[in-house]
Amino acid sequence: MLELVAAFICLTTLLTYVNYRFIGLPPTIGVMVTALLFSLLLQGLSVIGYPGLEERVQGLMNQIDFNDLLMHWMLAFLLFAGALHVNLADLRDYRWPIGLLATLGVLIATVVIGYLAHWIFALFGWHVSLLYCLLFGALISPTDPIAVLGALRTANASKPLKTTIVGESLFNDGTAVVVFTVLLGIAQLGETPSVSDTAILFAREAIGGALFGAVIGYVTYRMIKSIEQYQVEVMLTLALVIGGSAAPTSCTSRHRSRWWWRG
C-alpha cells in the first residue's frame, strides 16, 4: 500500500509540473487534463504493441478501495484545505444562498445530470438504467472546494460570488452523501427508505458531522493557541484532519447501511 501511495504522489507531482510548465491551466483542472492525456496514452500503448500494460495497471488499481480512500481520507483533506481559505463571518452573511445551493441545488443538479446522462447514453445505444444515471449525478454534483477556489481566483470573482460558491462547495457533500446513499440502497435492495430514515441519515451525516467537526476543531484550536511551537502545531493540525475523519468512520462504517435502512 505504501508503494501505491508513493506512486500516486509522484504521479500527481509530475502531472502538476507538466501542467505548470507546458499547459498553464489552473492546477486542479490542469492535473485532470494531463491525467486524461496519460490515460489516452496508456490506451494507445496497449493498442500498438503493449497489450499487457493496461491489464497490469488495472490490477494495480483493483488493489485500492477507492470508496474508502476518497470518502474517508481524501475528502477530509480537501474540505479542510478549502475551509482554511473561508472566513466564517462571510459565511454567516451569505448563509441562506449557501444553504439553498448546498441542499436544493444539489438535488436539482443530481436530477438534471442523471436525466442528461440517461439521454446521452441512449443516443449511443447504451441502455443504462435511469437509477444508475441518477447515482452518477449524485456522485459528481458536489463541487471540489480546492478546484472552485483556484477557478475563482483566476477569474477574479467578486467577494459575494466567491463566498457563496466556496461556501456551497464545503457544505454540499452532506446532501450529496445522503442522496447517493438513498439511491444506492434503492439500487441494491430495490426498496425506498422512509422519510424518517432519510431525515435521520441527513441529520447524522450533515448536522452530526458539522457538530463533531466543531467540537474537535475548537479543542484543537485551544491546544494550538496555548503553545508557540510550529512543529507541534503542524502535528495537531494533521491529527485533527486524519483523526477527525477516522474516528466516526471506525465507529459507524460497518453498520452504516443496516442502521438506517429498515426495509
Side-chain angles (χ1 to χ4, degrees):
M1 186 64 182
L2 181 61
E3 293 81 1
L4 289 176
V5 173
F8 275 121
I9 293 176
C10 293
L11 180 59
T12 303
T13 303
L14 175 62
L15 295 179
T16 304
Y17 172 80
V18 170
N19 171 66
Y20 182 84
R21 182 69 175 81
F22 301 105
I23 301 178
L25 292 171
T28 49
I29 299 176
V31 169
M32 180 190 68
V33 171
T34 49
L36 290 174
L37 292 177
F38 271 84
S39 299
L40 292 175
L41 177 62
L42 177 63
Q43 293 286 338
L45 290 175
S46 300
V47 171
I48 63 176
Y50 297 91
L53 181 60
E54 185 176 357
E55 286 74 13
R56 287 196 293 269
V57 173
Q58 289 177 352
L60 184 66
M61 294 296 101
N62 289 334
Q63 300 178 29
I64 305 172
D65 186 344
F66 279 98
N67 177 66
D68 182 68
L69 179 65
L70 177 63
M71 298 296 291
H72 300 154
W73 298 104
M74 294 177 62
L75 186 60
F77 284 96
L78 287 172
L79 294 176
F80 181 79
L84 285 176
H85 303 278
V86 177
N87 188 299
L88 289 179
D90 293 338
L91 287 181
R92 193 180 302 112
D93 293 337
Y94 299 98
R95 58 186 179 276
W96 290 112
I98 290 174
L100 287 174
L101 288 173
T103 53
L104 185 60
V106 171
L107 294 175
I108 294 174
T110 298
V111 173
V112 171
I113 293 173
Y115 274 91
L116 281 176
H118 184 69
W119 178 69
I120 292 173
F121 289 149
L123 289 179
F124 289 92
W126 301 332
H127 301 288
V128 181
S129 170
L130 177 61
L131 181 59
Y132 289 103
C133 292
L134 291 173
L135 269 172
F136 172 72
L139 184 66
I140 68 170
S141 290
T143 52
D144 173 13
I146 304 301
V148 167
L149 279 170
L152 291 177
R153 285 173 181 166
T154 304
N156 294 322
S158 62
K159 180 181 177 180
L161 178 61
K162 182 185 299 185
T163 301
T164 301
I165 295 179
V166 173
E168 186 271 341
S169 70
L170 291 174
F171 293 103
N172 58 18
D173 293 282
T175 304
V177 166
V178 173
V179 174
F180 182 84
T181 305
V182 170
L183 292 174
L184 183 62
I186 296 173
Q188 291 179 336
L189 301 179
E191 300 176 4
T192 303
S194 66
V195 175
S196 61
D197 289 334
T198 305
I200 292 173
L201 177 65
F202 179 80
R204 188 187 65 187
E205 295 290 345
I207 302 175
L211 293 176
F212 177 75
V215 170
I216 63 174
Y218 180 75
V219 171
T220 306
Y221 164 74
R222 299 298 300 180
M223 294 173 67
I224 292 176
K225 193 175 181 180
S226 64
I227 60 175
E228 290 293 338
Q229 176 58 260
Y230 72 90
Q231 292 98 333
V232 181
E233 293 173 354
V234 171
M235 292 299 295
L236 285 170
T237 303
L238 291 175
L240 169 66
V241 181
I242 298 175
S245 175
T249 299
S250 62
C251 294
T252 62
S253 60
R254 289 179 299 175
H255 307 286
R256 175 170 296 178
S257 61
R258 298 178 182 176
W259 183 86
W260 69 277
W261 195 280
R262 299 175 184 171

